[in-house]
Every structure is written in structure tokens, then in C-alpha cells.
Amino acid sequence: TTANLQTTYSNMVRGLMTAEEIMLDFGFNPNSGGRVVDEPVDLRSRIILSIPSAARLHQLLHTLLTKRQEAVQQAMARQ
């Protein structure tokens, strides 16, 4: 169930790859959005995916971003 999920905000991600896995490090960059502060990036989570799982994540992100793009274009067309 989703009751046990932990939610963490991330505004940056970096990736590493081996022959069998893809590792994604998620964190918070206080310097995003034009702000410049003297704070390091706070890496908070590492997700390690098998290659098939990474491929499914890729497809899911592509689908979601395409839907978001279409919704923005429709909203702009209504203006």
C-alpha cells in the first residue's frame, strides 16, 4: 500500500551505470532557480535499478512528460 511510502522532494538527479544496473542519486540543490548560495547539494536517496526496470521507468517518464506537455499546449491554446 502507499501508506508506507516515504516522500522526498528532489530538484536534481544524477545517474551512474554499470553493465547490470543503473543508479540514480536524488537530492536537493539549493542553488537551483537562479539562487546562488554557498551550500552543497544535499544527496538524499539512491535508487538502484536493474536494466529492465530502468527501461520501464524511462517509458513511464516519457509517457508522463508527454501528457504534461500536451496539457500545457492545450491550456495555452485556450488563452
Side-chain angles (χ1 to χ4, degrees):
T1 68
T2 59
N4 296 324
L5 291 179
Q6 179 181 354
T7 300
T8 303
Y9 175 78
S10 176
N11 66 356
M12 64 87 44
V13 62
R14 71 177 182 191
L16 306 162
M17 184 173 64
T18 69
E20 298 177 357
E21 300 170 329
I22 291 182
M23 292 166 276
L24 300 174
D25 294 337
F26 294 91
F28 180 74
N29 182 356
N31 294 299
S32 69
R35 291 180 34 204
V36 178
V37 295
D38 189 22
E39 293 180 35
V41 170
D42 178 18
L43 293 176
R44 299 180 178 184
S45 300
R46 173 172 281 175
I47 306 295
I48 302 172
L49 300 165
S50 66
I51 299 300
S53 291
R56 288 191 298 275
L57 176 61
H58 175 266
Q59 184 59 47
L60 174 64
L61 289 173
H62 176 76
T63 299
L64 293 172
L65 289 170
T66 299
K67 287 181 181 181
R68 167 71 164 77
Q69 210 169 22
E70 291 169 356
V72 167
Q73 289 173 348
Q74 289 175 359
M76 291 180 75
R78 285 188 233 123
Q79 294 180 354

